Amino acid sequence: AYEVYTGPFYAVVLGHEYGDVIASSPGAAYQDGGRFHFARTSSVDYNRVIGFKNRDSYCVAPVVDNGASQTRKVTFWAVGVNCCSPRGDFTCGDAGNDNGLIRGAARAPPDGV
């Protein structure tokens, strides 16, 4: 029961809080993270939003860096439930505000939502 219910909760609450995270940086550098605050150069890529519907809509969109250091590999993802269309229109959390700039995030549990 710990792995299913309590573990993900403690991973967020007790995980390290990182500030000015650049989306193109390696994810391994933040594997102990619970909360993230992205740099102003990071934003949601609305061209690569995808949603899966099974009663609810499960939504994902890559968080990318606007700088030249962004590679094709995506390290961070914005996720949500019932806040997107099948291909686009991502309005989960604060992602729909401030021209796609994303300020903060928390670690997702192992099932992704």
Side-chain angles (χ1 to χ4, degrees):
Y2 173 82
E3 291 83 9
V4 175
Y5 301 105
T6 311
F9 169 77
Y10 283 120
V12 172
V13 173
L14 300 178
H16 188 73
E17 185 169 356
Y18 288 100
D20 276 339
V21 174
I22 298 173
S24 59
S25 58
Y30 304 102
Q31 66 186 3
D32 64 339
R35 293 171 308 281
F36 306 94
H37 302 279
F38 290 98
R40 294 210 50 89
T41 59
S42 300
S43 63
V44 173
D45 184 350
Y46 291 105
N47 295 320
R48 295 192 281 172
V49 173
I50 189 163
F52 171 75
K53 187 165 180 87
N54 184 10
R55 291 191 187 123
D56 290 314
S57 293
Y58 299 92
C59 312
V60 296
V63 177
V64 296
D65 186 44
N66 295 333
S69 62
Q70 178 66 46
T71 62
R72 296 182 66 147
K73 182 178 180 180
V74 176
T75 304
F76 299 98
W77 293 85
V79 299
V81 178
N82 295 327
C83 52
C84 69
S85 62
R87 298 282 188 270
D89 193 32
F90 190 85
T91 58
C92 304
D94 289 335
N97 303 328
D98 203 21
N99 297 323
L101 296 175
I102 187 164
R103 294 292 86 154
R107 170 181 278 185
D111 66 358
V113 178

